[in-house]
Each structure stands twice: as C-alpha cells, then as structure tokens.
Amino acid sequence: MTVPTALDERFRAEAAAQGLLDVAYDLTDSPVGPLLLASTPRGVCRIAFEPEAEHELETLARAFGARVLRSPKPVEPVRRELDDYFEGVRRAFDLPVDLTPLPAFQRLVLEELARVPYGETATYGGLAARIGNARAARAVGGALNRNPIPIVLPCHRVVGASGGLVGYAGGLDRKRALLDLEAGELRLA
Amino acid sequence: MAPPKTTTTAPPPRVGAPPFERFYEVHREEIYRYLVRMLGRQPAEDAFQETFLRALRAYGDLRHARHLRAWAFTIATRVALDERRRARPEPVEAPEVPVADSRPAYAELEHLAGGLPRTERAAVVLRYGYDLDYADIAQALGSSEEAARQAASSGVRRLRAKGAS
C-alpha cells in the first residue's frame, strides 16, 4: 500500500496554491540535458545543469528557507519560456528573478549581465567597466561562475578578452551550443 | 534586454530542518499507512493531505531536525482524531475485562482495533504498530505519558477481550 500518485500530486499542488512554499522546483529534460528549475514567490531562483538533487535542495533550503518541495505548477512559466528559447522563438526572458541571498557585488554583476543582448557577447573586462570597476574582471568572472540562474541570466554570452569561450560552469559544450543557437547556427529544439 | 525585475530584501536564512521534500519523502508512506489503519482508505486521503499541509505550515519554525518522525505522527494523530470526532461519536465505553496475560499480541488483534475509542486506538497503533515510545505517544495525544500508557494498555485489554469473545 503506497501513497497514490494522484494524492501525492494533489498535495504538491495544494501546498503551492496555499502559498506554503519557500521554493517550488521541478526536474525537466532540455536540449542541453536535464535541468532543475526552481522558483520562490518572488521569481525564478535557480536553474541547474545535470542537477544533483540532494545538494541542490540543501543549498536552496539554506538560501531561501526549508520549505522546499517539488511542485511543477509554480515553475511552469520558467519551463515554458525556456522551451520557447530553445526553439529559437524567444530572445528575451520576461521572468522575474530572485537574487535575494546573493552578495551585493554579485547582484550588481548579474543585473549588468542581463543587459547583454541576445546573440551578442561581452568580455569580463567590459562588464567590469560597465559596473564602474574596470580592474575587477577577475571578480566579475567569479561572480558569473556562481551565477545561480544560467541561460536566463546569460553568462554564456561573456567571453575572454580575445573572444575565446574560456569557462562556463555548465561546461564549454553547452556554452558553445547556446551561443550557436543565438547566432542562428544551431537548432536545439 | 531590459534588466530583470529583482527583489533585494533577503529573508532570514533558516537552518536546521532538512529541505521539506526530504522530510516528505522519508515519512509519507508510513504516515499514509498509519492514516489508512486509523481511518480507512478514503478518509485517509484527505487526512494525509491535511497532515502534510499542517506540517508545512509549522516547518519554517523548526529549529532542528530531531524527532521528525514522532513529530509527523503527532500531526497525523491529531488530524485523525479530529476526523474521527467529526465522522462519528465515541463508542460507548465497554466494561473492562481483566486478562491474566498483559503481553500484547497486537498483530492478531489489529483487525479489531477499528472499534476502539479513538485515543485508545491511536495509542495502541502508535505503540504496537509503529513502536513509538510513550513520551512520543503522549505528545501525539496531547496527554501525559501515564495517560498514554493507560490508553494503550486499556486498548489492548479491550482488544484481547474482543478477540476472546
């Protein structure tokens, strides 16, 4: 005798509908591999490549509160916008993001990052200059490396001074795939 | 692209309890079976949802991860007692039947537990079905440890009397 699936789903939906969750998340497949998508009531707070659920849930609980539950409905808008993006029909995300647990410097970098347009690239030094600290390229690199919401906050659009792809927390193959998608050179979906 | 809309007031970080998903995954099957034993399958479904919604409401205030199993049974027991109180009145108290051997043979008697008064039933099921200690059962029933012990032993006596009749 096990918990009926319909009952389990009903509880997860009701928990979100009653506003009882600090974080709702779901796991999904995408053209760049499995993703964990997570939202707080304030906005999308995490997109993880190849998620190791145990570690991700612990991190989310520490950052936003322990009421973390898999519940598909609240993250449905995230999934929908990502699907559109992978199909090449969405060039900008309308999703609000929740960066509340991040240090002020990292928030500043990520907010500047969000201004790099679809299909274009910026350099670490260029981003550093735009936040008014041209010598902070390395710190900018560190902030981008810990970007909790890749794709939506497009750290894949940031390249080395010579145009090389340099690093990407999700792996260089993904970085290249996302840039090729945005250049119209690759169909992902 | 326009900068994203962001919120910048950080909530206080909470520490201690594991992510609710883990708590739910670990305890849901046992709590579901317990509620089916207490209430029957259909009422157990509503009680199951209510148990974990109540747990969620209180979960943000938990400061540690100890005794989470007993805590889950406490909530489920209170939901089940509320449900039984709502569904039907207490059965008339049966006279106590003395039995020589006080050792419970719960497994052979459980099918009769449905007729017990609700607190005795909860005490018996938690003690002999789930091996909770009397301190935890007392918490679940909102009673003293002595009262929990008495409820369980009175329930078992009543069951054995039924089993013998």
Side-chain angles (χ1 to χ4, degrees), chain A residues 69-158:
Chain A
L69 186 69
R70 185 170 182 169
S71 186
K73 189 137 180 250
V75 296
E76 192 51 42
V78 188
R79 190 201 313 272
R80 218 168 28 236
E81 292 205 7
L82 284 174
D83 285 348
D84 292 349
Y85 171 83
F86 289 127
E87 281 170 25
V89 298
R90 173 174 288 279
R91 298 167 72 89
F93 291 96
D94 297 325
L95 301 162
V97 297
D98 185 350
L99 302 176
T100 48
L102 302 185
F105 177 78
Q106 195 182 5
R107 278 207 304 268
L108 188 68
V109 171
L110 294 177
E111 283 162 14
E112 195 55 47
L113 168 70
R115 296 192 174 88
V116 180
Y118 184 94
E120 296 182 21
T121 57
T123 63
Y124 296 98
L127 265 192
R130 280 194 237 169
I131 60 169
N133 192 348
R135 283 179 302 178
R138 189 178 292 269
V140 165
L144 295 181
N145 188 255
R146 293 187 301 277
N147 175 12
I149 319 175
I151 308 177
V152 170
L153 296 177
C155 53
H156 58 279
R157 293 178 196 151
V158 184

Side-chain angles (χ1 to χ4, degrees), chain B residues 89-139:
Chain B
E90 278 286 311
V92 178
E93 293 287 309
E96 286 210 1
V97 182
V99 285
D101 177 7
S102 66
R103 209 159 42 83
Y106 178 71
E108 299 103 75
L109 297 171
E110 192 197 343
H111 64 287
L112 299 169
L116 290 181
R118 55 183 175 255
T119 50
E120 287 183 15
R121 183 180 194 185
V124 166
V125 172
L126 289 173
R127 181 69 197 103
Y128 301 107
Y130 293 93
D131 203 30
L132 260 63
D133 63 30
Y134 285 111
D136 288 337
I137 296 169
Q139 192 192 352

